[in-house]
Amino acid sequence: MASSLSSSTIGSHRILFLHPSPLNRRSLLVKPKLPFNRTNSGDFRMRLLSTSSKIGNTKEIIHSYESSIDSKVNLFEAGTKKLEKLVATILIFVQVWSPMPLLGGLDSAYISPAEAVLYSPDTKVPRTGELALRKAIPANPSMKTIQASLEDISYLLRIPQRKPYGTMESNVKKALKVAIDDKDKILASIPADLKDKGSELYATMIDGKGGLQSLITSIKKQDPDKVSLGLAASLDTVAELELLQASGLSFLLPQQYLNYPKLAGRGTVEMTIEKGDGSTFSAEAGGDQRKSATIQIVIDGYSAPLTAGNFAKLVTSGAYDGVKLNTVNQAVITEDGSGKVESVSVPLEVMPSGQFEPLYRTPLSVQDGELPVLPLSVYGAVAMAHSENSEDYSSPYQFFFYLYDKRNSGLGGLSFDEGQFSVFGYTTAGRDILGQIKTGDVIKSAKLIEGQDRLILPAQNNNSST
């Protein structure tokens, strides 16, 4: 699906995804500062020992093994035995001299604890937009404890064959205990005008259909499909309750950014995509071929208020109606139409995991263990391209859908561009459409169907941060 990325199709704004084909590399506009490149991350040769004494000791041990090989063994068998003994010797020295498994690059004897996340196949980075959005809600600590216990079950369900149902049950019981013990704290975090709805959701979370009690029953039956469905229902209820608690931004914006548009919460954008060549999109189940298709994007002002706010403003002004799309390496990006409407270049905005406010004009260093609350490494992630003038700023107009592909990602399943772009939302409906979009297809219309009341334009700011 990837096509050549050129200034004629993309304009002058910057975007790059690693692993382009040799034909496409020449047409990439600007290479952002990335945590890895193929040269030093793809070659996993190990520098085992750093001192000559260690190397000398290794040679002596290897030599002693070599000299013990029976001279009557044929050359093939001898070579095999030597290789086995060499590997055993190396592993012994690795265990003795290395504080961590030696998976580092050419310039390191071992990876630091901060870098370990890149090499772990169990890295708990959200793999769906729904999960990323749930984790990004700035809710009551009790609710976050409940959510974390339930989210862990998602990972436990991935274990093949004998699944740890006992651990799953313990997780749900822990969540249930917190929910019951902290009921007053949970409900106290909900605004007065939403108390009734909050009480209903709380009751549903405890023992309603798809609640925690029901989830325990499903786990006891040890039916993974029913557990998965029950878990999804419970997490949906938890997220609804958390959203009631998160009535606005939980941090103060820097003074210099108070006059930017901002989104103080969540919003939903609906886009209708039309084929530019007269062809059709694949039929939905039981339906007909479609000349146009609809996708929905949830944009997150909790983690990226300026970026989401600017995008919502552009959508409401009709800036994306009739805009052509281009397919590039692992992305679908809009053509440059910044002259169509008035827009501003928003600073790069990334909220690190574990932090309570975004960083501005500062990309994350994944190698140092920094991961964003809204990761790029999700199929259907929505982010702004870089500004034509500086990678410290996002484009005032161009955005892209990221088509995450684990086969083209780094260790731990992370995109090589993770933490380098302002991600501000995820495609939550119509993800199957993204892979069918071709260069020349058009955004027929884009509408902000939810969140208009949370969009604060500069004239409304009045030097307020919420």
Side-chain angles (χ1 to χ4, degrees), residues 151-447:
E151 298 287 11
D152 282 344
I153 298 175
S154 299
Y155 297 101
L156 297 176
L157 281 170
R158 298 177 188 174
I159 298 174
Q161 298 178 347
R162 299 186 62 180
K163 301 184 185 298
Y165 289 105
T167 303
M168 295 182 198
E169 185 175 346
S170 296
N171 277 26
V172 181
K173 287 181 176 179
K174 175 185 174 183
L176 184 60
K177 184 177 187 306
V178 173
I180 294 173
D181 291 349
D182 294 353
K183 177 180 178 180
D184 292 341
K185 293 180 182 178
I186 291 171
L187 296 179
S189 300
I190 300 173
D193 58 329
L194 298 173
K195 288 286 188 187
D196 291 343
K197 185 175 181 180
S199 296
E200 292 176 9
L201 285 172
Y202 175 84
T204 300
M205 180 178 69
I206 298 298
D207 53 16
K209 184 178 181 181
L212 298 178
Q213 296 282 15
S214 177
L215 182 56
I216 291 175
T217 301
S218 298
I219 291 173
K220 286 182 177 179
K221 293 180 179 179
Q222 297 191 4
D223 185 330
D225 292 333
K226 289 183 178 179
V227 173
S228 181
L229 290 173
L231 177 62
S234 294
L235 284 170
D236 285 344
T237 302
V238 167
E240 285 187 69
L241 197 50
E242 289 180 335
L243 285 171
L244 293 184
Q245 296 175 333
S247 57
L249 300 186
S250 59
F251 53 87
L252 299 175
L253 286 171
Q255 185 70 29
Q256 64 268 36
Y257 302 136
L258 293 182
N259 288 324
Y260 283 80
K262 67 179 179 180
L263 186 67
R266 291 271 166 86
T268 302
V269 172
E270 184 174 274
M271 290 188 176
T272 301
I273 311 296
E274 213 171 48
K275 280 292 182 181
D277 59 1
S279 61
T280 59
F281 290 102
S282 298
E284 295 178 312
D288 298 324
Q289 297 284 328
R290 299 165 290 168
K291 292 184 178 180
S292 63
T294 300
I295 62 175
Q296 285 190 355
I297 306 164
V298 173
I299 55 178
D300 184 37
Y302 294 128
S303 303
L306 301 184
T307 310
N310 185 59
F311 181 77
K313 175 181 176 291
L314 289 169
V315 168
T316 57
S317 65
Y320 296 114
D321 295 349
V323 170
K324 289 185 178 180
L325 296 168
N326 293 278
T327 56
V328 294
N329 296 294
Q330 288 186 243
V332 176
I333 186 170
T334 59
E335 283 192 342
D336 181 22
S338 54
K340 185 176 179 180
V341 295
E342 182 180 350
S343 56
V344 295
S345 188
V346 176
L348 181 70
E349 184 177 40
V350 184
M351 181 180 286
S353 294
Q355 301 298 316
F356 299 99
E357 59 184 347
L359 296 176
Y360 290 97
R361 301 176 59 187
T362 305
L364 298 188
S365 174
V366 179
Q367 280 183 289
D368 292 330
E370 294 180 331
L371 293 173
V373 170
L374 301 179
L376 182 67
S377 305
V378 174
Y379 190 91
V382 185
M384 298 304 295
H386 285 155
S387 166
E388 62 178 338
N389 299 316
S390 171
E391 291 177 11
D392 291 343
Y393 286 84
S394 294
S395 163
Y397 180 87
Q398 272 187 299
F399 76 93
F400 62 91
F401 298 97
Y402 186 61
L403 309 184
Y404 170 76
D405 187 342
K406 188 175 182 179
R407 295 169 299 179
N408 293 328
S409 61
L411 291 175
L414 297 176
S415 165
F416 285 90
D417 295 289
E418 192 64 79
Q420 306 296 306
F421 292 92
S422 296
V423 177
F424 61 92
Y426 296 94
T427 308
T428 55
R431 273 189 292 260
D432 60 310
I433 298 302
L434 298 179
Q436 302 178 50
I437 294 175
K438 306 296 182 184
T439 295
D441 291 349
V442 177
I443 299 176
K444 183 179 179 181
S445 66
K447 299 177 181 179

Side-chain angles (χ1 to χ4, degrees), residues 47-58 93 97 109:
R47 179 166 59 84
L48 296 176
L49 300 173
S50 59
T51 64
S52 58
S53 61
K54 293 176 185 176
I55 294 174
N57 290 337
T58 306
F93 275 84
W97 295 99

